Amino acid sequence: MEQLPGNDSLSGWASLICDLSLNGQSVAVGIFNRDGRLLDANQPMYYFLGTDSRESNPRNQFINPVFSAFFPEKQEGLVFQGMITIENYDEVSYVLNSKIYRKADHVLIYAEADVIELFEENNKMSFLNQQVNNLQRQLLKEKHKLQETLAELNLRTLELEKLNARLLELNNEKNRYIGIVAHDLRNPIGIAASFSQILIEDYDDIIKENQLEYLKHINDSCDFSLNLIHDFLDVSKIEAGVFDLNISEQEYLTFVRENIVQNKILARSKLQKINIRSDKNSIIASFDKNKIQQVLNNLLSNAIKYSAYNTSIVIDITEINNKIVTKVIDQGQGIPEEELSTLFKPFQTTSVKSTDNEKSTGLGLAIVKKIIEAHDGKINVESEVGKGSVFTFWFPKCKN
């Protein structure tokens, strides 16, 4: 190491810093006070300290020996000669061959290092750091893509699990429906088979009146069986989404009057009356006439079945906010409140018995609900035991 040029006064030290030049094998020089504040330095010293200004806490610090060791008691001049370490415990560490001079409350640190080589190494490290950073960014991108893929996969898995659960539910429901239909068909088919067998075996011995009675039993059983099969097929098509509407514009009041003729005949056998009531003379609406006829027939046939002799059934029709509102009001036995919530579900029957032993498939109201909902409408029921029921359905005049 070279001898320290100039005198050892503070002004001489400052002059030394101004005169030093960087030529490959360079010298780092800095002046510090007792508190460690950097008072003056040349560019290499700024570099090693990780700063570009005079400050008391540069990024890199003297580690070995520590800065306080440069102020021994009652000693001035050359206080240290040897290797010193400057680092920040994180990224960089420099080991420099140095001489340290003290003058009262100031020290001059004079250190030699191959700065050009250090700069080259630093450039190499910077390049490597840049490559590492690029790889880290790429890894983060790939990680995010993987996370998104996993999230999508989890979502699809959940959807598949829901679909499988729904499929299992539908399959169980289908099996339940088939079991109910098979059970309900067994009795009427058995009755028809029994009476037909009697007719076949004892035809010559059966009087005409009994023959007609047996044939009536067979006919009733066949009718019930056919109705059950038709209703079951309707429900199956609806549940499968095979439900096409043939919408056309019609006069609704006229349509209702024309389609209750058959029900009036059935009601007459129980001395019941069916009346239409409306505050309108004409209501033009768009709907599927066959499907709405199915709705009216079902609601009216139920009203007839569960109402006593000599009672009245009213069909009340009005228009509210561009909606057709139809009420079927009977004076029947009424439905217990606890049974209303399941009334529109397939194969749900109530504890109420028909007044003339008429039979029900338990599917009609479920079909009615689906038809009204397909018309963007709603249906509900209000009922009180002993006073009768009111079935109300509505749908918009013009279907979107």
Side-chain angles (χ1 to χ4, degrees):
M1 176 177 286
E2 299 177 1
Q3 296 296 319
L4 182 64
N7 58 53
D8 59 355
S9 66
L10 289 177
S11 62
W13 289 356
S15 177
L16 170 65
I17 290 174
C18 292
D19 292 340
L20 286 173
S21 60
L22 300 175
N23 291 311
Q25 190 72 18
S26 301
V27 177
V29 181
I31 301 173
F32 302 80
N33 66 13
R34 181 182 285 274
D35 297 328
R37 183 174 182 80
L38 180 60
L39 303 178
D40 201 359
N42 66 349
Q43 189 61 40
M45 182 59 77
Y46 283 133
Y47 172 79
F48 291 128
L49 292 175
T51 183
D52 57 5
S53 63
R54 300 175 183 183
E55 56 180 316
S56 57
N57 292 300
R59 189 161 65 96
N60 304 329
Q61 302 287 330
F62 295 97
I63 303 301
N64 185 26
V66 295
F67 186 79
S68 61
F70 303 152
F71 288 88
E73 296 244 348
K74 300 179 182 180
Q75 182 180 347
E76 294 193 353
L78 182 64
V79 293
F80 180 85
Q81 181 174 356
M83 308 304 290
I84 61 173
T85 302
I86 303 175
E87 64 177 40
N88 63 13
Y89 297 105
D90 185 14
E91 297 174 347
V92 298
S93 177
Y94 304 113
V95 179
L96 307 175
N97 190 16
S98 64
K99 285 184 178 181
I100 300 175
Y101 297 87
R102 175 186 175 190
K103 181 70 175 180
D105 289 331
H106 299 83
V107 293
L108 180 142
I109 299 177
Y110 181 96
E112 291 182 353
D114 191 343
V115 178
I116 291 178
E117 182 180 349
L118 287 173
F119 280 147
E120 290 176 352
E121 291 298 324
N122 186 62
N123 288 335
K124 290 179 182 178
M125 288 299 298
S126 296
F127 177 71
L128 288 174
N129 284 335
Q130 184 178 6
Q131 288 185 315
V132 170
N133 289 336
N134 289 338
L135 286 173
Q136 287 177 333
R137 282 193 290 269
Q138 186 63 33
L139 285 173
L140 284 174
K141 288 181 181 179
E142 295 300 326
K143 180 181 178 182
H144 289 154
K145 288 181 181 178
L146 181 59
Q147 289 174 337
E148 290 175 356
T149 301
L150 288 174
E152 182 70 17
L153 183 60
N154 288 335
L155 181 62
R156 292 289 179 265
T157 301
L158 289 174
E159 291 176 351
L160 183 60
E161 289 175 351
K162 289 180 181 179
L163 288 173
N164 284 334
R166 179 58 179 158
L167 181 61
L168 179 61
E169 180 184 342
L170 289 174
N171 189 57
N172 291 336
E173 191 171 350
K174 178 204 69 176
N175 292 335
R176 185 172 69 87
Y177 286 177
I178 291 174
I180 292 172
V181 171
H183 177 271
D184 288 352
L185 284 175
R186 185 183 295 118
N187 188 50
I189 292 176
I191 291 173
S194 297
F195 280 109
S196 61
Q197 185 69 27
I198 293 172
L199 285 172
I200 292 171
E201 293 178 353
D202 303 323
Y203 181 78
D204 293 333
D205 299 327
I206 301 173
I207 62 176
K208 186 175 182 180
E209 289 78 4
N210 287 344
Q211 289 180 359
L212 289 174
E213 181 183 351
Y214 294 168
L215 289 172
K216 184 178 183 302
H217 286 307
I218 293 171
N219 186 67
D220 290 344
S221 295
C222 290
D223 281 345
F224 177 82
S225 299
L226 284 173
N227 288 334
L228 179 59
I229 291 170
H230 289 320
D231 287 349
F232 178 71
L233 292 176
D234 281 345
V235 169
S236 299
K237 286 191 293 183
I238 291 169
E239 293 295 338
V242 184
F243 194 71
D244 296 325
L245 295 179
N246 184 18
I247 301 293
S248 61
E249 190 176 84
Q250 301 166 73
E251 206 290 305
Y252 186 69
L253 294 176
T254 301
F255 163 80
V256 173
R257 291 190 185 98
E258 291 174 351
N259 283 280
I260 64 171
V261 174
Q262 183 178 355
N263 287 289
K264 282 187 173 183
I265 296 173
L266 294 174
R268 193 178 302 144
S269 65
K270 296 178 75 172
L271 304 178
Q272 296 168 342
K273 294 182 179 180
I274 300 177
N275 299 311
I276 295 178
R277 182 175 67 197
S278 179
D279 58 355
K280 300 286 185 179
N281 293 321
S282 176
I283 299 177
I284 304 299
S286 297
F287 56 94
D288 184 321
K289 64 179 183 178
N290 291 329
K291 292 294 189 295
I292 297 300
Q293 180 179 358
Q294 193 173 355
V295 169
L296 289 170
N297 285 340
N298 189 281
L299 296 179
L300 286 172
S301 66
N302 282 346
I304 294 169
K305 287 177 186 177
Y306 297 101
S307 294
Y309 281 67
N310 290 303
T311 56
S312 294
I313 300 168
V314 176
I315 303 176
D316 183 87
I317 303 171
T318 189
E319 179 183 340
I320 302 175
N321 297 327
N322 287 320
K323 296 175 182 176
I324 308 300
V325 180
T326 304
K327 295 182 179 182
V328 178
I329 308 165
D330 65 46
Q331 297 173 325
Q333 304 167 72
I335 305 166
E337 183 178 356
E338 63 272 14
E339 297 179 8
L340 294 178
S341 60
T342 60
L343 199 59
F344 295 100
K345 294 181 179 180
F347 294 107
Q348 296 296 318
T349 56
T350 69
S351 59
V352 182
K353 303 301 181 182
S354 61
T355 56
D356 202 21
N357 294 319
E358 297 100 330
K359 295 180 180 180
S360 174
T361 65
L363 290 171
L365 290 178
I367 296 171
V368 164
K369 182 174 183 290
K370 295 293 184 180
I371 291 174
I372 296 302
E373 288 177 347
H375 282 77
D376 298 327
K378 297 284 186 181
I379 184 169
N380 59 54
V381 59
E382 296 174 335
S383 188
E384 186 176 349
V385 174
K387 293 188 176 181
S389 303
V390 179
F391 283 83
T392 303
F393 66 88
W394 62 262
F395 56 87
K397 284 181 64 177
C398 297
K399 191 178 186 307
N400 295 329

